[in-house]
Amino acid sequence: MPEYELVLKNGTCVLPWGLSNTDVAVRDGRIAGLGSFDAARAEQVIDCTGLHVLPGLIDPHVHARDPGDPLVETLETATRGAVLGGLCSIFDMPNTAPPLLNVADLDAKRARLPAEAWCDIGFYVAAAQSNLGTLAELEKQSNVCAVKLFAGGAKGDLLVQDDASIEMALRNGVRRMCFHAEDEYRVQERRAQYSEGDPHRLHAEWRDVECALLGTRRIVALARKVGRPIHILHVSTAEELEFLAGCRDIATVELLVNHLTQTDEVYDRLGGYGVMNPPIRSQRHRDAAWAAVANGSVDVIGSDHAPHARAAKERPWPDTAAGLTGVQTMVPIMLDHVSAGRLSLSRLADLMSAGPARVYGVPTKGRLATGYDADFTIVDMSHRRRIENAWIAAPCGWTPFDGHDCTGWPRMTVVRGRCVMRDDEVLGTPSGRPVPFLGTGQVPKDQVGSGRS
Ligand code: DOR
């Protein structure tokens, strides 16, 4: 009988306390030990010579769009893209069609994972005008990563923009709550003024720094009043970053790959394929984002993967659909930033594994250490490759990074001990599971690793 189902040999492991050349042994889907496992009997041994082994990377901001339009994205294709891109878990946004607002829909979605998901998934539930009174119950449901409230950037039932309703949502529950914080009042007030000129460049002028800062300040003030921790999604301005560095008592911070990688020249190059909310902004804001990565005031990085059909991206502005694909390209782009010296692999693991686990409360993931889920993103930092539309698993079939050359590439994705992607090939059958979260009342022991022990 093999002692271990998997041993990773000869890799450079990115441990919480630094880089180490050590083997990793896996039993029952969990990390059984670090050290030398030369004599160990294992079902599978993977030679990781020349490769770095990172703790399983997590994208905490994915719009998998299911239910929705299968010609744009599905749970299966979003998670296929995730593992092809080196991600072991994703947290799925609730603005689906229909949106995720109740327990029955959450149960139905969760039940689909074993047959359809290639990686593990946590679920956001939306705070909507129609369900504000039920949020405390919803956030206790197993596998809910957070309640997400759109104070801006949404329409109809999903838009909750007035202070009284936001305060009511904040008073309904205790876990860290996530916000799209743009101030929709200001966004709508300014809309009519921005109809003439270069349509795509106008996007960032219309939804200006003040729209973002005003919204973030309002949400932080309400959270402080109520005493509830919050997470500000996709912070996009230098001004918000400066403000939020003084709000550690109540707020954590997400930055997006696009805001770290692109500037407003994207509108000339990509037109509608550069339009997202909050917008991609000038160099000054990108520099501030990197300064915040360097000084530690950012907690997590997300992709805000938001696929849309090409026809919707090509509609004349301001009706161009806002949102860019990104779940599959996130790790390659961030590895390229590592290669360019903008951050270390350790900081990357902090922002993309330990950070999401800490902010959302995942007791079983986020560290390459004994007892944790055997989730690994195995990368080759010398591998050069060009991102191309043809590689993208999302049925909508495009990426804003088409033609972007990367140095550093994910070579394997291991989820709870199962290698689900190796050299661009998705392996086996879907085996994704819902991610367990602290504060949801479930017993994490049952949901660590394969759950066999
Ligand atoms: O650009 C965006 N697209 N921002 C959001 O907040 C939502 C997203 C979407 O769902 O398309």
Side-chain angles (χ1 to χ4, degrees):
M1 258 301 270
E3 293 165 272
Y4 303 107
E5 61 227 31
L6 174 67
V7 170
L8 302 178
K9 289 209 65 72
N10 306 320
T12 303
C13 292
V14 182
L15 304 179
W17 46 90
L19 268 57
S20 170
N21 293 320
T22 181
D23 301 340
V24 186
V26 174
R27 189 188 299 126
D28 296 333
R30 293 185 231 172
I31 300 174
L34 310 173
S36 175
F37 289 88
D38 284 337
R41 282 170 289 125
E43 280 166 44
Q44 188 183 14
V45 176
I46 297 180
D47 183 15
C48 296
T49 302
L51 304 177
H52 285 88
V53 182
L54 291 148
L57 300 182
I58 301 170
D59 183 349
H61 198 148
V62 174
H63 298 266
R65 301 268 193 251
D66 194 336
D69 179 355
L71 296 177
V72 171
E73 187 72 294
T74 64
L75 214 52
E76 194 276 329
T77 53
T79 53
R80 176 183 287 271
V83 301
L84 281 167
L87 293 166
C88 296
S89 305
I90 62 170
F91 300 168
D92 179 31
M93 284 291 173
N95 57 334
T96 43
L100 189 52
L101 301 177
N102 58 56
V103 178
D105 287 350
L106 174 67
D107 284 343
K109 200 159 184 179
R110 206 167 18 197
R112 293 171 49 198
L113 298 200
E116 296 177 43
W118 293 96
C119 66
D120 289 353
I121 308 190
F123 297 103
Y124 290 88
V125 289
Q129 287 170 19
S130 62
N131 75 348
L132 288 181
T134 65
L135 297 176
E137 277 312 303
L138 280 170
E139 73 165 12
K140 283 193 209 136
Q141 297 298 313
S142 307
N143 318 117
V144 167
C145 63
V147 170
K148 156 97 180 261
L149 186 146
F150 288 89
K155 290 188 187 126
D157 192 28
L158 281 188
L159 179 64
V160 181
Q161 60 176 338
D162 64 289
D163 282 6
S165 300
I166 295 172
E167 183 175 333
M168 182 173 164
L170 282 164
R171 289 197 186 280
N172 232 291
V174 294
R175 294 178 62 201
R176 191 176 291 279
M177 193 168 155
C178 293
F179 285 87
H180 183 127
E182 279 182 297
D183 189 286
E184 192 68 21
Y185 292 111
R186 182 175 166 91
V187 167
Q188 292 311 331
E189 263 165 38
R190 291 162 61 79
R191 189 178 164 120
Q193 299 165 43
Y194 289 88
S195 55
E196 286 191 9
D198 175 348
H200 299 111
R201 269 186 183 272
L202 285 179
H203 191 68
E205 284 180 41
W206 164 37
R207 307 178 83 103
D208 67 351
V209 169
E210 193 57 23
C211 288
L213 181 63
L214 193 65
T216 291
R217 281 184 177 278
R218 272 180 60 213
I219 306 292
V220 168
L222 288 164
R224 281 230 173 89
K225 183 175 172 195
V226 171
R228 174 141 178 212
I230 56 169
H231 183 54
I232 304 292
L233 298 161
H234 42 48
V235 173
S236 64
T237 65
E239 284 77 357
E240 287 168 283
L241 287 166
E242 191 186 348
F243 169 66
L244 287 166
C247 303
R248 292 301 315 173
D249 56 310
I250 204 93
T252 47
V253 173
E254 177 191 72
L255 284 180
L256 298 185
V257 175
N258 272 297
H259 292 141
L260 283 164
T261 310
Q262 321 259 30
T263 63
D264 45 12
E265 63 75 40
V266 77
Y267 302 114
D268 299 333
R269 203 158 39 82
L270 298 180
Y273 291 94
V275 169
M276 60 181 288
N277 296 328
I280 292 170
R281 303 187 190 276
S282 65
Q283 175 82 39
R284 176 173 81 81
H285 298 288
R286 186 173 71 176
D287 291 348
W290 280 110
V293 167
N295 71 26
S297 57
V298 175
D299 297 275
V300 303
I301 294 180
S303 73
D304 196 355
H305 176 73
H308 290 278
R310 282 181 179 277
K313 294 302 284 174
E314 290 166 14
R315 275 199 303 258
W317 188 85
D319 298 320
T320 315
L324 307 177
T325 62
V327 73
Q328 194 170 337
T329 49
M330 176 179 199
V331 176
I333 295 285
M334 291 309 298
L335 293 178
D336 193 49
H337 286 309
V338 170
S339 297
R342 297 189 187 101
L343 78 169
S344 65
L345 275 178
S346 292
R347 181 69 173 121
L348 183 70
D350 182 42
L351 287 163
M352 289 190 61
S353 190
R358 171 170 51 81
V359 166
Y360 293 82
V362 189
T364 54
K365 298 185 186 291
R367 282 165 84 86
L368 210 172
T370 296
Y372 284 76
D373 278 355
D375 292 351
F376 310 110
T377 300
I378 303 175
V379 307
D380 181 348
M381 291 308 294
S382 63
H383 193 90
R384 284 185 60 81
R385 182 162 164 186
R386 179 165 295 178
I387 292 173
E388 286 170 337
N389 281 339
W391 181 58
I392 297 300
C396 67
W398 58 270
T399 161
F401 295 109
D402 181 52
H404 192 102
D405 289 318
C406 293
T407 302
W409 198 266
R411 296 279 302 275
M412 281 175 259
T413 307
V414 178
V415 179
R416 285 173 287 99
R418 290 180 48 157
C419 185
V420 294
M421 185 281 286
R422 188 162 189 173
D423 292 331
D424 235 10
E425 203 184 327
V426 174
L427 303 171
T429 52
S431 56
R433 287 223 317 232
V435 175
F437 293 91
L438 292 171
T440 58
Q442 65 195 22
V443 184
K445 189 168 180 293
D446 300 342
Q447 299 211 8
V448 188
S450 63
R452 271 194 276 162
S453 62

